Amino acid sequence: MSLDPDPPAELVPSERATGPGGGDMDPEAFRDAAHRVVDLLADYLASVEGRAVFPPIEPGSIAPRFPAAPPERGEPLDAILADVERLIIPNLTHWQHPGFFAYFSTTASGPGILGELLTAGLGQNPMLWRTSPVGTELEGVVVDWLRQALGLPDTFDGLITDTASTSSLTALAAAREAAGLDVAARGLSGRDFDAPRVYASEQAHSSIEKACMTLGLGRASVVKIPTDVDYEMDVVALERAIADDRAAGRTPVAIVATIGTTSSTAVDPVDAIAPIAERERLWLHVDAAYAGPVALIPERRAAFAGWERADSIVFNPHKWLFVPFDASVLLTRRMDALHRAFSLHPEYLRTLDRTSPVRDYNEYQPQLGRRFRALKLWIHLRWFGLEGLRRRIDRHIDMAQAFASWIDDAPDWERLAPVPFSTVCFRWDPGGLGGAELDARNTAIMDAVNRTGEVFLSHTRLANRFTIRLSVGNLRTEPRHVERAWRLLRDAAAAA
Amino acid sequence: MSLDPDPPAELVPSERATGPGGGDMDPEAFRDAAHRVVDLLADYLASVEGRAVFPPIEPGSIAPRFPAAPPERGEPLDAILADVERLIIPNLTHWQHPGFFAYFSTTASGPGILGELLTAGLGQNPMLWRTSPVGTELEGVVVDWLRQALGLPDTFDGLITDTASTSSLTALAAAREAAGLDVAARGLSGRDFDAPRVYASEQAHSSIEKACMTLGLGRASVVKIPTDVDYEMDVVALERAIADDRAAGRTPVAIVATIGTTSSTAVDPVDAIAPIAERERLWLHVDAAYAGPVALIPERRAAFAGWERADSIVFNPHKWLFVPFDASVLLTRRMDALHRAFSLHPEYLRTLDRTSPVRDYNEYQPQLGRRFRALKLWIHLRWFGLEGLRRRIDRHIDMAQAFASWIDDAPDWERLAPVPFSTVCFRWDPGGLGGAELDARNTAIMDAVNRTGEVFLSHTRLANRFTIRLSVGNLRTEPRHVERAWRLLRDAAAAA
C-alpha cells in the first residue's frame, strides 16, 4: 500500500521476514519462538534445584566453546536454543537455586520475570515524560508505594536506578551540590575549598569508595570510621573525625550510615548519627541496599530508627524483595539537589511538556537513557502484596536465626557477629589452632561445601578472621536447605 | 524431607504457593502465566502500527489512575494483565511503531526480547567471573564479535554497559588515570594541577557534559569547539583551544569526537583529530552511539576513518542494531586505565579465581552489579547474522536518502544539514517569513504531524533555526512509512 501519490522509484516494498537472516521476527514468529523460550525457562526453574549451585567450571574454559568470529548468516531458532541448553545453562552460577546462600541473594520472582518480558517487548525509555508517559508516571507511583511500605514520611520522593552503586553515587553527587560546592558547574579542581570528606564506617560497602573515585573525590576523601565489637560505626569516632577535619581546613560533605553492612549486616546507629549530620549540616545517606525491605515489617523497624532523618536512602528490590536484577531505589528528601547535580537541557530533548507538572527523570541521575523498571516492580508488588513479601522476609529471618542458634549450640563452631537480619557469620574453631591455620581450614571447609553443589556460600573477613557467611534471601529457600547447609558444613569440618 | 538428624522444632515446611500472595509463582504457574504474557505481547506487536505513536495523553493524567497506596494483599494475574492492557499499553510512547522517527530509534527485536526474557529468568549478575562464569566469558566473546564486525583491530577490548552515558563516563574516568592525574586515589581537589579540560564539539551529546559534571570535572571543564557549516568539529579551533589551555596552565585530558552527532548526525573528522590527540598525548574518545553500526558495512566505513586510533569508542546496540534497551558497548585499547579508575578488592568479593586468566568486569566500570546483557546480544546476532543487520541498515540509509531527495526537490522545503546516515534535518520555508515566525510555523507543522499519531518526529536547533528531524532506525519501518511522513508534513504545511 503506497500512501504517497508519487512513490519514488527507488523505494520498493521490502521483503517480509520468513526466517532467520531476513528482517525482524514477525509477531507470529515471535509468538511461537517466545512460547518455546517460556517452556525452556519454566523447565529450567523446575529443575534448578537439581543443578550444582556453582558448577565445576574451569575459568577460561567457556569462551573457547563459542565461535571466535561473529555469524555472517542468520541461524534458525532451533540452533540458538540448543546452544542455550548446551552452553549457557550448564555454565551459570545458579542464583535462582534455593541453596544459594552467598553474597546477598537476588531472586527473579515469576511475576518479576513477566515484568521484564513486558519491559523488553514494550520498548520504553522513560528518560523524558514524552518518551514514556506511563513509564514516567508509574515510576512515581511505585516509588511512593515503596516509601509507604517502608514507613517513611511523604517528604521522601525518589527514583529507580540500576544498582546501589548508582544510587549511592547519585546521592553523593547531590550531597556535593547541597553542600554549596557547585561542583556540577565548576568542578573540584582549583577551587577555594580543600579536601572534601565523606564519612563511612570501615565496614561500609565498596560502592561508597567507588562512588568517590568516580565523582573525582578520590579514595582519599573517604574517612573510614572505626566500628565497635559489633561492627557498628563508632559515633564518638565519627564526631572526632569531623571535628579534626574542620580544624584542619578540610571540607566535610556527607556521612554514609549502613543498615545491614555487606560483611556482617551490622547496623550503624542512625538515630545517633542523624543529629550529628544535622548539627554539622552534612548530607546523611543511608545504605540499606540489603536490609531495607525488612522495614516492610512494622515490628522489625527498630533497626531503622532515625533513617527518616536521612537526606537519602538506598535499598535494592533486586536483593531481598525478590525482583529480578536490576532494580535499586533511591529515596530522598532532596530531589532539588539531585536536579542541580544532573540537570541539562539540550535542545533535542526539549519538549512542550516541560511547563506541565511532570518530571523528566533523566535530570536526576547520571544516565540519560533509562529502563522501564517500574513495570516489573508494579507487577511484582501486586502479585505478592506487601503481606506476601513480609511473610517471606519473616521466614528468612527465622531460618537464619535458627541456623545461628545451631552454631551457638555447637561446641566446635563460633559465631562471629550478631545476626540482626538473615545473614550469619561464623567459623569452625575446635580450639588450639592458630589464626592462619584456622583460616586455611575454614577456607577448605567452605570450598568443600561449595563443591558439593548443593549449597553455595561466600566469605568475608571480620577482625582479621576468615569468616564464612550464610545469607538467607532466595525466594525458594526452605528450612530443609538451611538444614542441609548445616549438615554439609559439619561433614566438611569432620573431614577437614 | 528433613536432611538434618535433629530438625529444629521451629522450622516447619513452608506452605507451597498456590495462588497470589503466597510464596513465589511456582514453575508451572509461571509457565501458564508467561504463555499468557507472550500472547499479550505478540498481540501488541501485531497491533502496534494501528496505535498512535505518541498518544494524546495529558501530562499528569496517568498516575491518579493507579491506587495511591500499595496493595496489602496479592492479586490474581487476571487483574494485573487486565491493567496492563487498560493502563499501561494505551499510555506508552510506541518506540516499537514503524512510524517512530523521533530522537534515535530503539527497536526491541524479537530475538532480543527472547534474550531479555532469558536474562531475567536465569538471574545472573556477571560482576565477578564466579557469580556468572558464562555471563563473564560470553561478554568477552560478544564484544570481540562486535569489534570484528566493525572492522576494528584486535588491540580493542571492551565491555557492555547500560547506556552511552555510562560508557562515555567510564572512558573519561579512564582518561583521567591515563593522564597520570591519579584521580581515583587522590581526587581532584587541592592538587598541583589546575583546570582539567575535555574537548568536544559544540554539537557533542549532552552525555559528555553530564559525565564531566558527575566526574567532578564540572561543566566548566568542557571546551566546546566550534563546528563548520556542516556541524563538524573545526580542527584548527581544536588545536588552538588546546594550545591556549596549555599556555594558561590548564590541564588537557581528553578529546571527544563524534561520528553521528545527535542533532544532525555530523561526522567529526576523526582522521584529522587522532594525530592531534596522539601528539598532545590526550585520550581520544569517539562517540558513535548512533552511527557505529554503519561500520558493519565495509563500503560505508569512510565516515569512520581514523577511529581505530581512538583510545575508546562507544556505540549502542540498543539504537541502530535493534537490540532491546539497554545495551551500550565501550571498546577500548586501554582496559588497564579503566581498571585503575574503578578497581577495588573488598574481601567479600575476593575469590580464588583471581589467579586465573578471567576477568571480573565490575573492576572496569562504575557499578558493581551488572546485567547479563551479552545473552541478548548473542541471540540477536545469531538470529540476524551480520548480513541481515547490514541489509537492514543499508535500507534505512536508502529510505533516509530518498526522503532527503524529496526535501531537496520541494521548493517550499529546506534541508538543514548533510545526511551521512539515516537522519534528515529540514524545515518548511516558503520564503518571506522571519526567523521567529518560521520557527513557530515549523513547530506547528511538527506538532500537527505528531497529533495524527501515524508518525512521531522530534526537533533540534541548528544555527538557531528550529529544525525538524526525521530519523529512520526502527526495524519495522518500511518505505511506505517514510512516504506517509512526507505526505503528512506537506498536508500540515498546506494547512499551516
Side-chain angles (χ1 to χ4, degrees):
Chain A
M1 179 179 69
S2 172
L3 296 169
D4 189 83
D6 301 308
E10 68 271 39
L11 289 189
V12 295
S14 75
E15 72 277 38
R16 295 292 295 171
T18 53
D24 193 27
M25 204 178 253
D26 75 22
E28 293 317 307
F30 169 75
R31 190 189 307 267
D32 293 344
H35 283 308
R36 291 183 57 188
V37 172
V38 164
D39 283 325
L40 186 159
L41 198 50
D43 292 345
Y44 169 74
L45 294 173
S47 72
V48 69
E49 190 170 349
R51 300 177 184 275
V53 194
F54 181 76
I57 308 166
E58 284 302 307
S61 67
I62 306 168
R65 299 181 62 193
F66 291 88
E72 188 61 29
R73 304 249 154 214
E75 297 178 52
L77 189 68
D78 282 341
I80 299 169
L81 295 186
D83 281 348
V84 169
E85 305 218 45
R86 187 175 66 92
L87 294 172
I88 304 294
I89 290 178
N91 292 312
L92 301 169
T93 300
H94 298 285
W95 289 71
Q96 297 279 46
H97 194 295
F100 189 101
F101 297 117
Y103 313 106
F104 290 128
S105 282
T106 288
T107 314
S109 75
I113 299 169
L114 303 182
E116 283 278 11
L117 171 57
L118 285 167
T119 293
L122 299 178
Q124 297 298 287
N125 183 344
M127 56 182 182
L128 305 172
W129 181 87
R130 193 169 180 79
T131 57
S132 186
V134 73
T136 298
E137 297 197 31
L138 187 60
E139 182 156 339
V141 170
V142 167
V143 167
D144 199 64
W145 281 8
L146 290 167
R147 172 194 68 74
Q148 294 174 57
L150 296 175
L152 286 164
D154 65 8
T155 44
F156 279 88
D157 195 341
L159 75 166
I160 310 173
T161 78
D162 53 353
T163 59
S165 304
T166 297
S167 292
S168 291
L169 179 149
T170 299
L172 292 173
R176 297 191 302 202
E177 300 307 308
L181 303 185
D182 203 16
V183 173
R186 300 171 62 196
L188 288 158
S189 285
R191 301 289 303 280
D192 57 3
F193 57 84
D194 193 21
R197 284 289 183 267
V198 173
Y199 305 87
S201 98
E202 60 190 14
Q203 292 289 321
H205 189 256
S206 60
S207 58
I208 303 305
E209 205 164 347
K210 199 180 220 187
C212 290
M213 292 160 70
T214 305
L215 292 168
L217 300 165
R219 283 191 294 275
S221 70
V222 182
V223 183
K224 295 190 177 180
I225 307 297
T227 56
D228 65 15
V229 291
D230 287 340
Y231 307 105
E232 301 171 3
M233 188 190 284
D234 177 339
V235 178
V236 173
L238 169 68
E239 291 197 273
R240 193 182 313 124
I242 296 169
D244 288 353
D245 279 338
R246 292 219 192 271
R250 302 187 193 104
T251 310
V253 171
I255 302 170
V256 179
T258 309
I259 299 178
T261 59
T262 304
S263 278
S264 74
T265 73
V267 177
D268 289 339
V270 178
D271 52 349
I273 294 168
I276 298 170
E278 289 160 3
R279 189 187 69 219
E280 299 283 340
R281 298 177 173 274
L282 302 180
W283 185 285
L284 175 58
H285 176 61
V286 169
D287 177 356
Y290 153 70
V294 174
L296 262 70
I297 305 165
E299 302 74 27
R300 295 193 187 272
R301 283 189 187 146
F304 299 86
W307 76 335
E308 72 283 353
R309 295 164 75 176
D311 296 282
S312 57
I313 297 170
V314 56
F315 80 100
N316 284 0
H318 71 228
K319 288 196 174 81
W320 208 358
L321 218 52
F322 321 119
V323 172
F325 189 87
D326 49 9
S328 177
V329 171
L330 178 62
L331 296 168
T332 178
R333 296 190 288 128
R334 300 297 307 276
M335 282 297 266
D336 62 306
L338 273 66
H339 193 262
R340 288 209 300 284
F342 294 111
S343 179
L344 280 173
H345 297 141
E347 183 67 30
Y348 46 81
L349 296 178
R350 280 185 209 276
T351 70
L352 304 178
D353 317 310
R354 291 195 53 77
T355 54
S356 67
V358 292
R359 173 180 287 160
D360 292 333
Y361 275 102
N362 80 84
E363 297 184 36
Y364 299 83
Q365 62 165 44
Q367 301 99 330
L368 171 59
R370 311 181 74 243
R371 287 179 74 84
F372 183 10
R373 295 188 183 89
L375 184 60
K376 66 182 173 187
L377 276 159
W378 175 69
I379 293 174
H380 178 90
L381 290 169
R382 290 188 65 181
W383 168 268
F384 283 97
L386 297 183
E387 180 271 337
L389 295 168
R390 284 188 198 110
R391 189 161 11 123
R392 183 60 64 169
I393 293 166
D394 252 334
R395 282 185 57 77
H396 284 168
I397 295 172
D398 288 347
M399 284 189 255
Q401 300 292 341
F403 183 87
S405 74
W406 306 337
I407 294 285
D408 290 346
D409 292 346
D412 291 351
W413 295 81
E414 180 184 16
R415 189 153 58 80
L416 298 178
V419 182
F421 304 113
S422 70
T423 302
V424 185
C425 291
F426 60 96
R427 67 174 174 177
W428 176 72
D429 183 4
L433 290 176
E437 172 68 11
L438 203 51
D439 284 357
R441 298 285 281 275
N442 274 282
T443 304
I445 290 169
M446 184 183 82
D447 289 346
V449 168
N450 285 345
R451 273 196 304 272
T452 68
E454 294 188 58
V455 301
F456 185 43
L457 306 171
S458 64
H459 81 285
T460 189
R461 291 192 82 82
L462 291 173
N464 202 26
R465 295 167 299 187
F466 183 93
T467 303
I468 306 176
R469 286 168 83 263
L470 180 139
S471 183
V472 182
N474 183 288
L475 199 47
R476 298 175 189 87
T477 299
E478 300 285 338
R480 63 188 167 86
H481 302 107
V482 182
E483 292 161 13
R484 184 62 182 157
W486 180 222
R487 165 52 56 205
L488 292 170
L489 281 160
R490 285 176 294 163
D491 288 350
Chain B
M1 177 178 68
S2 172
L3 296 169
D4 190 82
D6 302 308
E10 66 271 37
L11 290 189
V12 296
S14 74
E15 72 276 40
R16 294 294 296 172
T18 53
D24 192 28
M25 205 178 253
D26 75 21
E28 292 317 307
F30 169 76
R31 189 189 307 268
D32 294 345
H35 283 308
R36 291 182 58 188
V37 172
V38 163
D39 283 325
L40 187 159
L41 198 51
D43 292 345
Y44 169 74
L45 294 173
S47 72
V48 69
E49 188 169 350
R51 300 177 184 275
V53 193
F54 181 76
I57 308 166
E58 284 302 307
S61 67
I62 307 168
R65 299 180 63 193
F66 290 87
E72 187 60 28
R73 302 251 155 214
E75 298 178 52
L77 189 68
D78 282 341
I80 298 169
L81 295 186
D83 281 349
V84 169
E85 306 217 45
R86 187 175 68 91
L87 293 173
I88 304 294
I89 289 178
N91 292 312
L92 301 169
T93 300
H94 297 286
W95 290 72
Q96 297 279 43
H97 194 295
F100 190 102
F101 295 118
Y103 312 107
F104 290 127
S105 283
T106 289
T107 315
S109 75
I113 299 169
L114 303 182
E116 283 277 12
L117 171 57
L118 285 168
T119 294
L122 299 178
Q124 297 298 287
N125 183 344
M127 57 183 182
L128 305 173
W129 180 87
R130 193 168 180 81
T131 57
S132 185
V134 73
T136 298
E137 298 197 29
L138 186 59
E139 183 156 339
V141 170
V142 166
V143 166
D144 199 64
W145 281 8
L146 290 167
R147 173 195 67 74
Q148 294 174 57
L150 296 175
L152 286 164
D154 66 6
T155 44
F156 280 88
D157 196 341
L159 76 167
I160 310 173
T161 78
D162 54 352
T163 60
S165 304
T166 297
S167 292
S168 291
L169 180 148
T170 300
L172 292 173
R176 297 190 304 203
E177 300 308 308
L181 303 184
D182 203 17
V183 173
R186 300 171 62 195
L188 288 157
S189 285
R191 301 289 303 280
D192 57 3
F193 57 83
D194 193 20
R197 284 289 184 267
V198 174
Y199 305 87
S201 98
E202 59 190 15
Q203 293 289 323
H205 189 256
S206 59
S207 59
I208 303 304
E209 205 163 347
K210 199 180 219 187
C212 290
M213 292 160 71
T214 306
L215 292 168
L217 300 165
R219 284 191 295 276
S221 70
V222 183
V223 183
K224 294 190 178 180
I225 306 298
T227 55
D228 64 16
V229 292
D230 287 339
Y231 307 103
E232 300 172 3
M233 188 189 284
D234 177 338
V235 178
V236 173
L238 170 68
E239 290 196 273
R240 194 181 313 123
I242 296 169
D244 287 353
D245 279 339
R246 291 220 192 272
R250 302 187 193 103
T251 310
V253 172
I255 302 171
V256 179
T258 310
I259 298 179
T261 60
T262 304
S263 278
S264 74
T265 72
V267 178
D268 289 338
V270 178
D271 51 349
I273 294 168
I276 299 170
E278 288 161 3
R279 188 187 69 219
E280 299 284 341
R281 296 177 175 273
L282 302 180
W283 184 285
L284 176 57
H285 176 60
V286 170
D287 177 356
Y290 153 69
V294 175
L296 261 69
I297 305 166
E299 302 75 25
R300 294 193 187 271
R301 283 189 188 148
F304 300 85
W307 77 334
E308 72 283 354
R309 295 163 74 174
D311 295 283
S312 57
I313 296 170
V314 55
F315 80 102
N316 284 1
H318 71 229
K319 289 196 174 80
W320 208 357
L321 217 53
F322 321 119
V323 172
F325 189 86
D326 48 9
S328 177
V329 171
L330 178 62
L331 296 169
T332 179
R333 295 189 290 128
R334 301 296 308 274
M335 284 295 268
D336 62 306
L338 272 67
H339 194 260
R340 288 210 299 283
F342 294 110
S343 178
L344 281 172
H345 297 140
E347 183 67 29
Y348 45 80
L349 296 178
R350 280 185 207 276
T351 69
L352 305 178
D353 317 310
R354 292 195 53 78
T355 54
S356 66
V358 294
R359 173 180 286 161
D360 292 334
Y361 276 102
N362 81 85
E363 296 185 37
Y364 299 83
Q365 62 166 41
Q367 301 99 330
L368 171 59
R370 311 181 75 242
R371 287 179 73 84
F372 182 11
R373 296 188 182 88
L375 184 60
K376 66 182 172 187
L377 276 159
W378 174 70
I379 293 174
H380 178 90
L381 289 170
R382 290 188 65 181
W383 168 267
F384 283 98
L386 297 183
E387 181 270 337
L389 294 168
R390 285 189 198 111
R391 188 159 14 122
R392 183 60 65 170
I393 293 165
D394 251 334
R395 283 184 57 78
H396 284 167
I397 296 173
D398 288 347
M399 287 189 252
Q401 299 294 340
F403 183 88
S405 74
W406 306 337
I407 295 285
D408 291 345
D409 293 346
D412 290 351
W413 295 81
E414 180 184 15
R415 188 153 58 80
L416 297 177
V419 184
F421 304 112
S422 70
T423 301
V424 186
C425 291
F426 61 96
R427 66 174 175 177
W428 176 72
D429 184 4
L433 290 176
E437 172 68 10
L438 201 53
D439 283 357
R441 299 285 280 276
N442 274 281
T443 304
I445 289 169
M446 185 183 80
D447 288 346
V449 168
N450 285 346
R451 273 196 304 274
T452 69
E454 294 187 59
V455 300
F456 186 42
L457 306 171
S458 63
H459 80 284
T460 189
R461 291 191 83 83
L462 291 173
N464 202 27
R465 295 168 299 187
F466 185 92
T467 302
I468 307 177
R469 286 167 84 262
L470 181 139
S471 183
V472 182
N474 183 287
L475 199 48
R476 297 174 188 88
T477 299
E478 300 285 337
R480 64 189 168 84
H481 302 106
V482 182
E483 291 160 15
R484 185 61 182 158
W486 181 221
R487 163 52 56 203
L488 293 170
L489 282 159
R490 284 176 295 163
D491 289 351

